[in-house]
Amino acid sequence: MRNLVRQLRTERGLSQAQLAAAMQVSRQTINSIEQERYTPSLPLAFALARFFGTTVEEVFDADE
């Protein structure tokens, strides 16, 4: 699933480890999401959107 997690994270100057700590997941989970190898659970998707001050639909694109 295409997403903007890497873009949003780098715009805020965060490392994968910092974002992972904020989301209470591993850095590998963030890496896998950014590489589009892993689709996050719905609670994690909402948490990421909330963290970045946007909507799930703006962060994740299921049509791709």
Side-chain angles (χ1 to χ4, degrees):
M1 175 180 297
R2 297 192 57 75
N3 67 75
L4 300 177
V5 174
R6 173 177 282 155
Q7 176 184 333
L8 293 167
R9 177 181 59 77
T10 57
E11 285 174 358
R12 285 158 180 80
L14 296 170
S15 69
Q16 287 181 343
Q18 290 169 318
L19 180 56
M23 295 296 105
Q24 299 181 342
V25 298
S26 69
R27 185 199 58 78
Q28 290 85 352
T29 297
I30 298 300
N31 181 268
S32 294
I33 292 169
E34 289 183 357
Q35 297 294 320
E36 300 173 2
R37 288 182 275 139
Y38 172 71
T39 301
S41 65
L42 196 53
L44 179 53
F46 275 108
L48 285 163
R50 199 173 314 115
F51 181 83
F52 291 121
T54 188
T55 65
V56 171
E57 293 85 0
E58 291 174 343
V59 178
F60 298 96
D61 184 4
D63 293 334
E64 291 292 320

